[in-house]
């Protein structure tokens, strides 16, 4: 199998990025066509305007809310706000005590009272129960375990057959379709509580998690009510309240134990009632134990929704009840927390309320976008100034990552209801510089490799291998910082952390699938490979001469040493004699070890310019070095001064030239006749 080339890998990466972009865009377009999403990101409260309230829980007596109960309070408030018809509300905890509620517009008095009201928990007997098939289908679509889904679907199918016989499909049940009660009800479990109106409401009732204000107002303690369990889809007709939730002293969960103290392996929820609640529950349990079917159950109702409806297995006269079933540990813990919170007379006081106008939100959005545009212009200008044509790679990369970020936020708004806040915009602006930093690291690595003598194609691959580790380490730090900030922060600061982490992940995807592949493609273009002017890779822009010029041609710097200026010489010849390494200072047969040889025509007057550095000269050859001019090798002291400014390749070539010149000087000295022999021949 042939090895893939860099260009082939680059094309594959770019195709993968194109598929990702088209996939995200197509998914968002589908959501827009179904009216489930929109092209623009959803805006948070600080940008769209509305009301923000900070609520503080108030408990009668000395009891305090723990963190689990506070979370339960947040969930109940969320259900109340959603049920009131207010959309796009934000409810979250602030610190360990407060609850922050934000909603668009200004809440009406009913909604405000609904938010501040305490949780209403009560025990009611079950009069009638059946499954809601439509709601069960919704639960299955949301995602249940296979066993739970099968059980609910079987019960729904059986219930649907009964419903078809009683009420034709598509028709609304009317009170006259049901029989009237035969007598007045004698106790809370009497079926005569089900009047014609109650029966029609039960037939037309559709289960949902939200509770409307009208439904809450209709739930009277001394009258029957129609409700459901939103976790199972079961609808109920319940009798009047028998035991108020305030009589529940404690609720806990644990493993079921036999009379001998052995554990059965089943999770149960334990209830403890106060003295008044014990008396009321003893009377109710004794009556329910003798009934059959759904009337053997009692429902625990919180905020007009059933949270549990267990059967009565025996009369309970000591005020200690045990709710058993196929509970998991999490389900048992959740039910016990609901019961503990519902038993507390908790109300919420509004500590602060802030009105955020839509005008202020639009101004903040406009200023945030302006700051982002200014940041983009500055980064683009710097990239073009510093990297010339390579700056276009930076600008195009920023455009691609901007598109990915826009569509990612749009999809998150559709799937998870994510809203872009002003702090989130700040995170996006900061990410512009962090994204450009990745390109700077990569480009500088490539330029370092070019200074070492590699071709552009080789410099791109070698520079990428080094820059990749730096980029991944940098982005890992950004993601970790964003995660920690998101976990410890509250409110809008989380929006900043979220966008910062999201853009860091998208930056890694961009560098691997766009920036590096584009550089691999550009390395094969003559404009960049030859280091043309304004390419960002020319000799002037690199700051040194490019060693590799393409087509097997190399450029080499000539290193010319500076000769020492004579201090007390009587003549130029004496001055040359006093310079270490000068040919006139060598004895016959002596070896020159690291000095330069003056070229033919050298004039002794040039010694006056010894302190002046010689200009760097370059010579080109087709694959081989040209002939070295004499005097180009540095002396020992001069070379030590020049090595600090040389690259590794230049140092190797300088040492090689010095060795060749030293060997040539030695051979010339050994073969030249001495002055004595010449005088004798002259005589």
């Amino acid at each position: 199998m042939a090895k893939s080339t860099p260009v082939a890998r680059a094309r594959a990466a770019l195709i993968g990025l194109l598929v990702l972009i088209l996939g995200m865009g197509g998914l968002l377009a589908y959501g827009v066509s179904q009216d489930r999403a929109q092209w623009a990101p959803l805006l948070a409260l600080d940008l769209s305007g509305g009301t923000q309230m900070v609520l503080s829980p108030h408990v009668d007596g000395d009891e305090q809310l723990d963190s689990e109960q506070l979370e339960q309070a947040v969930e109940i408030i969320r259900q109340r706000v959603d049920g009131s018809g207010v959309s796009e509300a934000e409810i979250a905890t602030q610190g360990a005590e407060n609850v922050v509620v934000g909603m668009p517009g200004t809440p009406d008095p009913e909604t405000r009272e609904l938010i501040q009201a305490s949780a209403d928990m009560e025990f009611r007997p079950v009069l009638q129960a059946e499954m809601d098939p439509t709601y069960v289908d919704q639960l299955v679509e949301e995602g249940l375990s296979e066993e739970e889904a099968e059980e609910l679907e079987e019960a729904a199918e059986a219930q649907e057959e009964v419903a078809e016989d009683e009420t034709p499909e598509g028709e609304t049940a009317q009170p006259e379709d049901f029989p009237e009660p035969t007598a007045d009800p004698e106790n809370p479990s009497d079926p005569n509580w089900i009047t014609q109106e109650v029966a029609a409401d039960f037939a037309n009732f559709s289960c949902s998690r939200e509770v409307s204000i009208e439904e809450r107002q209709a739930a009277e303690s001394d009258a029957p009510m129609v409700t459901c369990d939103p976790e199972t889809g079961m609808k109920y007709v319940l009798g009047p309240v028998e035991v108020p939730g305030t009589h529940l002293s404690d609720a806990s969960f644990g493993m079921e134990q036999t009379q001998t103290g052995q554990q059965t392996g089943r999770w149960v929820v334990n209830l403890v009632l106060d003295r008044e609640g014990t008396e009321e529950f003893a009377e109710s349990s004794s009556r329910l134990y003798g009934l059959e079917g759904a009337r053997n159950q009692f429902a625990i109702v919180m905020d007009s929704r059933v949270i549990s409806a267990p059967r009565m297995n025996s009369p309970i006269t000591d005020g200690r009840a045990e709710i058993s079933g196929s509970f998991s540990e999490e389900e048992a813990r959740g039910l016990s927390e609901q019961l503990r919170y519902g038993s507390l007379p908790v109300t919420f006081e509004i500590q602060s309320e802030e009105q955020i106008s839509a005008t202020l939100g639009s101004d903040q959005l406009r200023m945030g976008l302006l700051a982002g545009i200014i940041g983009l212009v500055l980064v683009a200008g710097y990239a073009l100034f510093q990297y010339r044509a390579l700056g276009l790679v930076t600008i195009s990369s920023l455009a691609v990552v901007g598109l990915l970020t826009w569509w990612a936020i749009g999809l998150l708004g559709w799937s998870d209801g994510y809203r872009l806040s002003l702090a989130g915009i700040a995170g996006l602006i900061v990410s512009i510089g962090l994204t450009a930093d990745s390109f700077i690291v990569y480009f500088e690595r490539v330029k370092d490799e070019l200074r070492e003598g590699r071709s552009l194609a080789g410099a791109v691959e070698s520079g990428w291998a080094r820059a990749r580790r730096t980029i991944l380490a940098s982005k890992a730090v950004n993601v970790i910082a964003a995660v920690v900030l998101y976990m410890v922060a509250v409110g809008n600061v989380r929006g900043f952390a979220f966008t910062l982490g999201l853009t860091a992940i998208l930056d890694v995807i961009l560098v691997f699938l766009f920036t590096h592949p584009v550089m691999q493609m550009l390395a094969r273009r003559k404009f960049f490979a030859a280091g043309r002017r304004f390419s960002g890779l020319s000799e002037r822009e690199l700051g040194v001469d490019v060693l590799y010029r393409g087509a097997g041609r190399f450029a080499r710097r000539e290193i010319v040493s500076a000769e020492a200026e004579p201090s007390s010489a009587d003549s130029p010849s004496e001055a040359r004699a006093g310079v270490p390494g000068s040919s006139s200072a060598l004895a016959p047969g002596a070896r020159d070890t690291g000095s330069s040889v003056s070229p033919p025509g050298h004039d002794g007057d040039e010694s006056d310019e010894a302190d002046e550095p010689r200009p760097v000269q370059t010579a080109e050859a087709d694959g081989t070095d040209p002939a070295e001019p004499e005097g180009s090798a540095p002396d020992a002291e001069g070379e030590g001064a020049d090595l600090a400014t040389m690259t590794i390749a230049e140092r190797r070539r300088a040492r090689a030239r010095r060795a060749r010149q030293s060997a040539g000087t030695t051979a010339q000295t050994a073969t030249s006749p001495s002055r004595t022999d010449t005088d004798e021949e002259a005589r």
Side-chain angles (χ1 to χ4, degrees):
M1 182 177 179
K3 185 177 180 180
S4 61
T5 62
V7 175
R9 293 194 298 268
R11 289 174 179 170
L14 292 175
I15 291 174
L17 178 63
L18 180 61
V19 171
L20 176 63
I21 293 175
L22 294 178
M24 294 177 64
L27 186 60
L28 186 59
Y30 172 77
V32 172
S33 65
Q34 299 295 320
D35 293 332
R36 299 180 181 178
Q38 61 184 35
W39 289 110
L42 299 177
L43 299 180
L45 187 67
D46 56 349
L47 297 178
S48 61
T51 304
Q52 186 177 58
M53 295 181 292
V54 178
L55 307 179
S56 177
H58 177 70
V59 184
D60 295 340
D62 298 332
E63 297 188 63
Q64 297 293 331
L65 286 178
D66 55 26
S67 59
E68 289 81 6
Q69 291 172 328
L70 190 62
E71 290 292 339
Q72 184 63 33
V74 170
E75 184 62 28
I76 291 176
I77 293 175
R78 180 178 290 109
Q79 292 177 0
R80 290 177 177 179
V81 173
D82 293 343
S84 65
V86 178
S87 60
E88 304 177 2
E90 300 176 2
I91 300 97
T93 58
Q94 184 182 66
E97 296 180 354
N98 297 331
V99 177
V100 179
V101 179
M103 59 184 66
T106 302
D108 54 30
E110 292 182 349
T111 303
R112 193 184 303 273
E113 181 182 354
L114 184 64
I115 293 174
Q116 295 180 259
S118 62
D120 186 15
M121 189 178 73
E122 52 198 19
F123 294 78
R124 292 174 178 258
V126 176
L127 303 179
Q128 186 177 347
E130 68 178 36
M131 189 73 68
D132 185 349
T134 304
Y135 186 75
V136 169
D137 293 340
Q138 180 180 344
L139 289 178
V140 173
E141 292 178 358
E142 290 178 357
L144 296 175
S145 63
E146 295 183 359
E147 296 181 357
E148 293 176 340
E150 290 178 359
E151 293 178 359
L152 291 179
E153 287 178 348
E154 290 177 0
E157 290 176 358
Q159 188 62 48
E160 200 168 16
E161 294 177 358
V162 176
E164 289 178 356
D165 295 339
E166 295 179 353
T167 304
E169 183 178 358
E171 294 185 7
T172 302
Q174 303 296 327
E176 55 269 15
D177 297 335
F178 301 92
E180 296 182 357
T182 57
D184 293 334
E186 298 179 356
N187 55 64
S189 300
D190 195 330
N192 288 315
W193 285 105
I194 306 177
T195 62
Q196 289 179 307
E197 290 76 12
V198 172
D201 291 342
F202 180 70
N204 298 325
F205 184 80
S206 297
C207 187
S208 66
R209 297 183 183 275
E210 293 77 21
V211 182
S212 63
I213 296 179
E214 294 77 9
E215 191 176 350
R216 284 179 54 85
Q217 293 175 346
E220 300 179 0
S221 60
D222 57 351
M225 70 176 299
V226 177
T227 184
C228 71
D229 184 351
E231 300 300 326
T232 62
M234 187 69 72
K235 301 191 302 183
Y236 297 97
V237 177
L238 306 179
V241 176
E242 291 202 89
V243 182
T246 53
H247 293 322
L248 181 63
S249 298
D250 189 24
S252 60
F253 72 100
M255 300 294 291
E256 184 181 24
Q257 295 183 351
T258 63
Q259 295 180 352
T260 60
Q262 295 180 349
Q263 294 183 351
T264 62
R266 296 196 307 171
W267 291 96
V268 296
V269 177
N270 302 306
L271 308 180
V272 179
L273 300 169
D274 60 12
R275 185 176 64 180
E276 185 177 352
T278 298
E279 296 175 357
E280 295 174 349
F281 196 69
E283 179 184 353
S284 176
S285 61
S286 299
R287 182 181 66 255
L288 294 176
Y289 178 66
L291 301 177
E292 297 180 354
R295 297 175 60 200
N296 178 251
Q297 299 174 255
F298 73 94
I300 304 175
V301 182
M302 181 179 292
D303 261 21
S304 301
R305 284 292 180 265
V306 176
I307 61 175
S308 182
R311 293 186 176 277
M312 191 64 64
N313 294 329
S314 63
I316 299 174
T317 58
D318 59 354
R320 295 180 177 274
E322 182 181 271
I323 302 177
S324 60
S326 56
F327 292 130
S328 64
E329 181 180 3
E330 291 296 327
E331 292 172 342
R333 177 187 288 108
L335 179 57
S336 65
E337 291 296 338
Q338 285 180 308
L339 295 173
R340 286 177 58 200
Y341 172 76
S343 64
L344 295 177
V346 182
T347 57
F348 290 92
E349 298 178 354
I350 300 178
Q351 283 191 340
S352 64
E353 182 173 347
E354 179 183 6
Q355 297 293 332
I356 303 176
S357 66
T359 303
L360 177 60
S362 62
D363 290 342
Q364 291 177 336
L365 177 60
R366 184 171 59 255
M367 296 303 296
L369 294 177
L370 179 61
I373 293 173
I374 293 175
L376 280 173
V377 171
L378 291 177
V379 171
Y382 172 80
L384 293 175
F385 174 77
Q386 181 70 19
Y387 297 107
R388 305 300 193 274
L390 281 182
L392 298 177
V393 179
T394 301
I395 296 174
S396 59
S397 298
L398 289 175
V400 174
V401 77
L403 180 62
L404 289 175
T405 304
W406 183 282
W407 284 356
I409 292 177
L411 291 174
L412 289 173
W414 173 22
S415 61
D416 298 330
Y418 174 76
R419 293 182 171 275
L420 186 62
S421 62
L422 186 62
I425 293 178
L428 295 177
I429 296 173
V430 172
S431 67
I432 296 174
L434 298 178
T435 302
D437 180 63
S438 301
F439 311 143
I440 294 174
V441 170
Y442 183 23
F443 294 162
E444 291 301 325
R445 286 289 190 180
V446 172
K447 293 169 73 172
D448 287 342
E449 297 298 324
L450 288 174
R451 295 187 184 102
E452 291 290 337
R454 289 186 173 86
S455 65
L456 179 57
V460 166
E461 299 302 326
S462 180
W464 169 248
R466 295 183 179 182
R468 179 176 53 200
R469 294 190 295 267
T470 305
I471 293 173
L472 290 177
S474 173
K475 298 309 169 184
V477 172
N478 291 345
V479 171
I480 292 173
V483 171
V484 173
L485 182 61
Y486 186 86
M487 294 176 62
V488 301
V490 294
N492 289 336
V493 180
R494 283 190 166 187
F496 174 83
F498 181 82
T499 53
L500 193 65
L502 176 64
T503 52
I505 295 174
L506 293 178
D507 184 18
V508 174
I509 296 175
L510 179 78
V511 172
F512 276 80
L513 297 184
F514 184 79
T515 308
H516 176 53
V518 168
M519 286 296 295
Q520 288 178 310
M521 304 282 285
L522 294 180
R524 271 69 183 176
R525 301 299 177 185
K526 185 177 180 180
F527 177 75
F528 291 95
R532 298 288 179 81
R533 188 180 180 186
F534 301 122
S535 66
L537 303 173
S538 65
E539 298 175 4
R540 181 188 298 264
E541 291 154 356
L542 289 177
V544 295
D545 293 339
V546 179
L547 299 178
Y548 183 81
R549 295 184 178 275
R553 298 182 296 113
F554 288 85
R556 176 175 50 79
R557 292 180 178 181
E558 292 295 342
I559 304 174
V560 182
S561 64
E563 298 178 355
E565 181 178 357
S567 58
S568 60
D570 295 333
S571 65
S573 60
E574 292 177 356
R576 286 194 299 271
V579 178
S582 174
S583 59
S584 61
L586 290 175
R591 182 178 180 182
D592 185 2
T593 58
S595 62
S596 61
V597 181
S598 300
H602 176 72
D603 192 353
D605 294 337
E606 294 180 4
S607 60
D608 296 336
E609 302 175 359
D611 292 336
E612 296 294 332
R614 296 289 185 90
V616 175
Q617 301 174 357
T618 61
E620 297 185 3
D622 293 337
T624 60
D625 291 339
E628 306 250 358
E630 295 180 354
S632 62
D635 58 14
E637 184 178 357
E639 180 184 353
D642 291 338
L643 286 178
T645 61
M646 295 182 184
T647 64
I648 297 176
E650 290 172 328
R651 294 174 187 176
R652 288 198 297 265
R653 284 190 289 273
R655 294 191 183 99
R657 286 196 298 272
R658 188 186 66 180
R660 291 196 300 270
Q661 291 168 356
S662 298
T665 303
T666 302
Q668 181 180 0
T669 304
T671 57
S672 62
S674 64
R675 183 180 298 273
T676 305
D677 295 339
T678 305
D679 292 342
E680 290 177 354
E681 292 177 359
R683 294 191 192 98

